[in-house]
Amino acid sequence: MLTAAGFQVRGNQILNPCGQPAQPRPTAVDMNGDGRPEAIVTDTHPTCYGPTGLAFSVIQQQGPRWTVVGAGRGRIKLLETRTNGWRDYTLEGPGCQRTWTFQPGQGYLSLQPCPGESGYRPPGPLPPAPPVKAASGTPADRAAAFRAAGVTPTRGRYLACDTRQEQEIEIRDLNGDGRPDAVINDFGTYCYGNTGQGFTIVTKDASGAWRQLYQSQGIPELLTTRGVGGWPDIVNGGPGFCFPVKRWNGRDYAIVRWRADPAMPGACAGRP
């Protein structure tokens, strides 16, 4: 539980993300209403966590393992509203405080900035709803992309690690060569540990054949920066607060730098 929340356990001592002794406090809370408690782990440190000196992590148990689904600095305040079945939360404090909502496959995100922050839009008439998007890619491309990833359908459903949850696929041109590629996400703690997710990138070559380009444990975030052949850099997300950024070098996705979670800007201290 503590490791999932970003702490290190060395012998009888617990260290916070800054490497300082800590006394984290877990509290059981059923965040998603399924009758099983998640845990909110809070910690106090006057220098590690910025002006408030407070930090928290929201972690979920999946089988024998725990996975972080939300984290921040400050004192968490649970709300009565829910998004996708999970309780929303905000932070205690004066002025505007963002609301954090649960997004499947991504955990807790804050999608609406406060006034004065970048991206804020004042209230006004709602824009027309966008048209509903069909599943990306043709049925033939989807089937071929799954085959390239080594997945065959079971009674019409593409299942892999967790036989209760179908794999997700997004087909689009990732590297700008005019041909479709696909990102396929698989889920399950049995295969992917605390992260609970893995992904495969497959591509359609000039001959029309699909092949696997890359496969990894983690939660992928595709960036606008690019490597060899125009392939996008990837933030390989997972438990903790410091994540590798990988770039395609023509043979493999290799780590080129590290990116800290905005809630813990010092988490990558000491890494290149």
Side-chain angles (χ1 to χ4, degrees):
M1 180 186 292
L2 295 178
T3 301
F7 295 90
Q8 302 177 53
V9 180
R10 296 182 182 174
N12 295 325
Q13 191 172 49
I14 301 171
L15 305 179
N16 64 24
C18 298
Q20 302 297 321
Q23 294 182 321
R25 297 176 297 279
T27 302
V29 181
D30 184 2
M31 295 289 287
N32 60 359
D34 66 355
R36 296 174 297 178
E38 284 65 52
I40 299 176
V41 182
T42 58
D43 189 35
T44 303
H45 194 278
T47 59
C48 185
Y49 302 128
T52 67
L54 302 170
F56 66 89
S57 297
V58 182
I59 56 175
Q60 178 190 24
Q61 187 171 20
Q62 297 178 330
R65 301 178 181 273
W66 290 85
T67 302
V68 64
V69 295
R73 292 188 174 189
R75 190 181 302 279
I76 187 172
K77 178 181 179 181
L78 297 181
L79 303 175
E80 295 303 319
T81 55
R82 292 180 179 268
T83 302
N84 296 311
W86 288 70
R87 287 186 69 174
D88 302 336
Y89 66 76
T90 185
L91 302 179
E92 292 185 0
C96 173
Q97 296 291 343
R98 290 187 176 204
T99 297
W100 298 78
T101 58
F102 186 85
Q103 307 299 319
Q106 301 179 77
Y108 276 95
L109 299 176
S110 177
L111 303 179
Q112 176 57 50
C114 286
E117 293 184 333
S118 175
Y120 173 75
R121 295 184 178 181
L126 292 176
V132 176
K133 294 176 64 177
S136 61
T138 65
D141 275 342
R142 289 167 59 84
F146 274 118
R147 283 197 301 271
V151 184
T152 55
T154 302
R155 294 185 295 275
R157 303 181 69 209
Y158 289 94
L159 309 171
C161 182
D162 186 343
T163 56
R164 300 167 300 175
Q165 186 170 3
E166 190 167 13
Q167 293 193 334
E168 295 177 351
I169 183 171
E170 181 185 5
I171 295 181
R172 59 188 174 98
D173 183 3
L174 297 177
N175 64 340
D177 65 358
R179 296 189 296 269
D181 311 295
V183 179
I184 299 172
N185 291 304
D186 187 27
F187 307 93
T189 56
Y190 179 78
C191 298
Y192 306 112
N194 285 346
T195 304
Q197 183 174 333
F199 66 95
T200 303
I201 297 176
V202 295
T203 181
K204 190 176 185 179
D205 61 27
S207 71
W210 285 84
R211 62 180 177 86
Q212 185 176 130
L213 182 80
Y214 182 68
Q215 188 175 55
S216 176
Q217 173 178 314
I219 303 170
E221 179 187 346
L222 305 187
L223 303 179
T224 57
T225 52
R226 297 179 179 272
V228 172
W231 290 99
D233 294 350
I234 298 174
V235 179
N236 207 49
F241 304 97
C242 182
F243 312 112
V245 178
K246 297 183 176 182
R247 177 169 296 169
W248 183 252
N249 60 19
R251 299 178 303 276
D252 193 13
Y253 266 100
I255 296 174
V256 292
R257 61 186 176 88
W258 295 79
R259 191 180 78 173
D261 188 303
M264 296 286 183
C268 292
R271 293 189 181 273

